[in-house]
Amino acid sequence: MRRIAVLTSGGDSPGMNAAIRAVVRKANFHGVDVMGIYHGYEGFIEGRMELLDLGSVGGIIQRGGTKLFSSRCPQFKEERYQLQGIEKMREAGVEGLVVIGGDGSYRGALALTKKGFPCVGVPGTIDNDIPGTEYTIGFDTALNTVIESIDKIRDTATSHENSFVVEVMGRDAGDIALWAGLAAGAESILIPEEEYDIDDIISRIQHGVSRGKKHSIIIVAEGVMSGNELAKLLKEKGNITTRVSVLGHIQRGGSPSARDRVLAGRLGAKAVEVLLEGKGGRAVGIKNHQVYDYDLEDAFTKKHKADLSLYSLSKELSI
Ligand code: ATP
């Protein structure tokens, strides 16, 4: 291959820039050009791209967001737009594509590969919900953002002897809630993967109060219910008044953590290696500290499993 392209798609995550940089530098190292496609699949369809040289990815390793911008592009599910994009790429001499994004973006990458245009997926999402990789790029930074916020909430909660409900991202996967809950010492964690027991949550808060605790922190993943709904439930069922904090999009921003930068570097470089070996329809991931590639289809036909041992551990540690 002489020329490949890279795009970012779906929800952005901290570390996407570091991954773009790795793709460009690794490909250049092997004498291969990289075109940067703007606005995800929207730009792919229109051939909106430019050559990324070594210098063009300088100074972005520490920046959140994505230099190439991202988009949701529903029409990309239609074959005619996929073919139109492939045509644009061929006209520009592009022979393969690295897609940095979540499982939706991977579906697009597989569709292109099946049409003869090889693609490799790099997991970029804060949700940590892509099967086949233990970690996704952005998860660690999002976690650190959540923990930092909870630490601040805890300060004010203690001063005013309040209980707080903190709503975090995670529609289908509870990883952020789970890890942040354990790291921040939350009393209770509500995640989509586990049934919650409102009486247990109430009795944990009451138990804390009876042993002189000045505050409680309850973390709820948005996929379970909203923070306000949970606060209402606690009031109705246990007559417990809580303050609610919805962390929202701050979880997606910020300078990537060291872990995310290293992961982005390793996975971005691996994606280029895989493409240059002539393989398409692959995803890259990390397992037992090793980067590897696997069938792209596995990333959305298999199911991501949160580490539920953390759930039981957090219950034991927050008595
Ligand atoms: P995240 O879930 O972290 O936001 P994602 O990559 O899963 O990231 P989606 O919005 O699901 O985000 O998908 C991103 C884009 O991928 C879509 O806007 C669309 O352009 C493309 N895409 C999604 N599903 C398909 C599909 N079945 N076929 C082709 N393209 C698809």
Side-chain angles (χ1 to χ4, degrees), residues 118-137:
C119 297
V120 175
V122 174
T125 167
I126 64 165
D127 295 331
N128 208 39
D129 62 349
I130 299 187
T133 186
E134 287 171 355
Y135 300 104
T136 60
I137 299 166

Side-chain angles (χ1 to χ4, degrees), residues 89-274:
M89 293 302 128
R90 295 217 164 114
E91 282 167 15
V94 176
E95 296 170 84
L97 175 68
V98 176
V99 172
I100 307 169
D103 58 343
S105 305
Y106 278 19
R107 285 177 197 270
L110 187 67
L112 293 176
T113 303
K114 284 186 171 163
K115 288 178 180 58
F117 188 73
C119 297
V120 175
V122 174
T125 167
I126 64 165
D127 295 331
N128 208 39
D129 62 349
I130 299 187
T133 186
E134 287 171 355
Y135 300 104
T136 60
I137 299 166
F139 173 59
D140 185 65
T141 308
L143 261 187
N144 281 299
T145 302
V146 171
I147 290 163
E148 217 175 280
S149 307
I150 293 175
D151 288 348
K152 288 176 180 158
I153 288 169
R154 184 190 281 278
D155 289 345
T156 173
T158 309
S159 307
H160 291 274
E161 303 190 34
N162 283 328
S163 291
F164 261 86
V165 168
V166 181
E167 180 192 317
V168 300
M169 283 186 172
R171 276 192 301 269
D172 305 310
D175 293 53
I176 293 179
L178 202 50
W179 284 68
L182 189 62
E187 269 62 34
S188 295
I189 305 169
L190 284 77
I191 54 172
E193 293 88 343
E194 287 284 328
E195 288 285 317
Y196 66 88
D197 175 354
I198 195 72
D199 296 326
D200 177 58
I201 299 169
I202 290 167
S203 77
R204 280 171 175 275
I205 297 173
Q206 287 168 340
H207 175 69
V209 171
S210 71
R211 70 176 178 88
K213 278 191 77 161
K214 301 288 182 225
H215 62 257
S216 300
I217 305 278
I218 301 126
I219 300 187
V220 56
E222 63 183 338
V224 179
M225 70 178 100
S226 74
N228 285 315
E229 282 168 326
L230 178 56
K232 203 163 151 232
L233 215 51
L234 290 168
K235 183 72 188 165
E236 279 168 11
K237 305 252 177 185
N239 197 28
I240 293 172
T241 304
T242 50
R243 302 284 163 108
V244 179
S245 187
V246 180
L247 297 188
H249 281 79
I250 62 162
Q251 293 163 90
R252 289 238 294 256
S255 176
S257 67
R259 258 192 118 79
D260 274 332
R261 294 182 201 191
V262 172
L263 184 63
R266 294 180 75 190
L267 293 182
K270 180 70 182 173
V272 171
E273 269 174 28
V274 172

Side-chain angles (χ1 to χ4, degrees), residues 9-11 41 71-74 76-77 82 101-105 107-108 125:
S9 166
Y41 289 123
S71 72
R72 308 232 184 234
C73 176
F76 198 67
K77 291 179 187 165
Q82 297 164 8
D103 58 343
S105 305
R107 285 177 197 270
T125 167

Side-chain angles (χ1 to χ4, degrees), residues 292-306:
Y292 79 117
D293 64 290
Y294 59 100
D295 195 335
L296 195 50
E297 212 155 352
D298 287 352
F300 46 83
T301 52
K302 296 197 170 151
K303 203 165 157 38
H304 162 73
K305 288 194 187 83

